[in-house]
Amino acid sequence: MTARPAHFIPIDADRVQPTRFAQSLWGEDHLNGPAVVGLAAHALGAAFGLPDFLPARLTVDLFRAARGVPTTTEVKLVRDGRRVRNSECDVVQDGVIVARATLVQYRLAEAPPGEEWFGATDFEPPAEIDGGLAPYISSDGVGWTRTIAEHQNAGRKRYVNQPLDVIEGETNTPFVRAAVAAEGTSMVTNLGTAGIGYINGDLTVALTRLPQDDWVGVEAETHWADRGIAVGATTLYDSAGPIGTGLTTAVSNPAAQIDFGHSRFPDRIRREL
């Protein structure tokens, strides 16, 4: 049986090797954000996940471009409280930290009394979501397709992703699925008429619950930019409704602008198989 596509293959107990699916469109030997974020989420969840605690906030700072070399994760529990747990993960290549993740977990509890304000939602996923490699993307006036280049416009974007496994042979947990899909925040908020020219230096995923589906939806809520700095926020969804928020900050990188219609690395664009 052919192995399911994954971002990393285990080398030994401590190291993993990036696969071609982890390659990005930014450079010849750069890894993509979902792969790095997913690796950190996987390591933190495996080391510190507990059934009575929700991984409520994951923040990943992407210090430098990760590359296609053997990679390790180094985790530590910072605080083991009764209601709040805090942990950290460093993603390390050749002795250098390329990304650092912090995780906040809250103990699940009954909601307090009273009624609260909630934002209106109108997210509509594709009518059918299959198990193909290509994600679904939608923009105002176009609708859902599986070709990103069709959505290089100035409209509001949406994205539905069934994330690849982070580690070959290990099925993603719901937490990892949410974290990997949420990295699409940068794409749906920064994708414009000429493609993507902002590269995000971080990702924050804030969850009120874990996704119940194999897929996670990401819809742009805000996008602000000035003098080469952009901030984007999204709402994350499953079939039952909103599950949380994604947030990225990004810096202009026009020298490596990604035009999905004329990519320097067309074989790296996930397509339906």
Side-chain angles (χ1 to χ4, degrees), residues 2-273:
T2 303
R4 287 160 50 97
H7 287 128
F8 297 91
I9 297 173
I11 299 174
D12 51 39
D14 300 317
R15 298 180 302 159
V16 293
Q17 176 67 42
T19 72
R20 66 182 182 89
F21 297 104
Q23 295 173 327
S24 85
L25 300 178
W26 288 109
E28 185 67 38
D29 188 29
H30 289 188
L31 302 189
N32 60 55
V36 178
V37 167
L39 184 62
H42 175 274
L44 287 166
F48 306 121
L50 290 175
D52 294 338
F53 281 78
L54 175 75
R57 177 177 63 79
L58 174 73
T59 297
V60 183
D61 290 309
L62 305 167
F63 293 155
R64 57 189 298 170
R67 301 183 182 277
V69 299
T71 306
T72 62
T73 53
E74 300 174 356
V75 300
K76 70 175 181 178
L77 186 62
V78 177
R79 180 176 183 269
D80 187 9
R82 184 176 65 85
R83 293 196 300 172
V84 183
R85 288 165 56 88
N86 304 83
S87 53
E88 295 180 347
C89 172
D90 287 341
V91 179
V92 182
Q93 296 185 328
D94 293 331
V96 176
I97 299 173
V98 298
R100 173 167 291 165
T102 58
L103 176 64
V104 178
Q105 296 168 276
Y106 294 141
R107 184 180 292 277
L108 298 170
E110 292 187 7
E115 297 182 356
E116 306 136 44
W117 174 87
F118 293 97
T121 62
D122 58 0
F123 180 80
E124 289 288 341
E128 295 184 9
I129 300 174
D130 64 30
L133 278 182
Y136 297 82
I137 185 167
S138 167
S139 58
D140 291 347
V142 178
W144 290 104
T145 77
R146 303 185 85 164
T147 303
I148 298 176
E150 295 174 352
H151 302 276
Q152 290 193 173
N153 55 47
R156 185 185 185 188
K157 311 294 192 306
R158 300 148 202 90
Y159 178 69
V160 165
N161 190 17
Q162 291 179 288
L164 302 181
D165 289 341
V166 173
I167 306 294
E168 186 178 79
E170 299 185 34
T171 301
N172 291 338
T173 65
F175 169 52
V176 172
R177 289 202 302 272
V180 174
E183 219 280 334
T185 294
S186 183
M187 182 181 70
V188 300
T189 58
N190 291 316
L191 180 60
T193 59
I196 296 179
Y198 291 97
I199 185 167
N200 60 306
D202 59 25
L203 170 70
T204 293
V205 186
L207 300 173
T208 60
R209 63 178 175 86
L210 296 173
Q212 64 183 25
D213 301 297
D214 291 336
W215 59 268
V216 176
V218 182
E219 183 172 42
E221 294 292 350
T222 61
H223 175 253
W224 311 114
D226 184 53
R227 291 182 294 178
I229 308 298
V231 176
T234 58
T235 299
L236 312 178
Y237 292 86
D238 65 7
S239 60
I243 65 170
T245 297
L247 174 69
T248 63
T249 64
V251 62
S252 176
N253 191 25
Q257 181 91 12
I258 298 175
D259 180 342
F260 288 94
H262 303 87
S263 174
R264 293 177 295 159
F265 311 105
D267 59 319
R268 299 183 185 180
I269 297 176
R270 284 173 57 185
R271 305 180 188 279
E272 186 172 5
L273 297 180

